[in-house]
Amino acid sequence: QVQLVESGGGLVQPGGSLRLSCAASGNIFSIDIMGWYRQAPGKERELVAHVTNSGRKNYADSVKGRFTISRDNAKNTVYLQMNSLKPEDTADYYCSASTFSADDYWGQGTQVTVSS
């Protein structure tokens, strides 16, 4: 089992920045990929970015050049630095972890609101 706890959401003005954090605990050595998804009201959950255990990163086109995912394996934590935020980035953001045996785990979600 893997437990994920997110932090760092909130209200920010357009053009502002936020950093989300997700701390993993439990069977952390089983984790391959860690990432962030988001779900806006009335929309399906979508991938924002993920990073593999080897450090390979993937981003949604909508966030490329604005968001940066990073992973600190010593702290079992993944971060999402979000810059140049837009109102369309408003969503609940969920941390995810996928294990080498293809089990998926989710955090409880953190709300990000971009509004003036």
Side-chain angles (χ1 to χ4, degrees):
Q1 292 286 327
V2 173
Q3 294 79 43
L4 303 171
V5 178
E6 301 116 332
S7 60
L11 172 65
V12 64
Q13 293 186 343
S17 299
L18 280 175
R19 189 175 84 152
L20 305 182
S21 300
C22 172
S25 60
N27 191 12
I28 57 172
F29 297 106
S30 68
I31 298 174
D32 178 16
I33 302 170
M34 294 192 76
W36 292 93
Y37 286 72
R38 67 185 181 187
Q39 187 167 18
K43 295 188 177 181
E44 294 187 354
R45 190 173 297 190
E46 62 176 2
L47 173 69
V48 177
H50 71 226
V51 54
T52 68
N53 193 49
S54 61
R56 187 163 51 191
K57 301 176 183 180
N58 184 47
Y59 294 93
D61 288 342
S62 59
V63 307
K64 283 180 181 177
R66 301 188 298 122
F67 292 11
T68 302
I69 191 168
S70 59
R71 181 171 176 172
D72 186 336
N73 287 328
K75 295 183 178 180
N76 307 315
T77 300
V78 64
Y79 305 95
L80 185 68
Q81 178 66 42
M82 305 185 293
N83 299 329
S84 303
L85 281 159
K86 305 175 181 180
E88 51 263 43
D89 295 317
T90 296
D92 291 325
Y93 284 70
Y94 296 89
C95 179
S96 72
S98 299
T99 69
F100 291 102
S101 57
D103 295 319
D104 295 323
Y105 297 90
W106 297 92
Q108 80 283 1
T110 186
Q111 189 172 50
V112 172
T113 302
V114 185
S115 175
S116 55

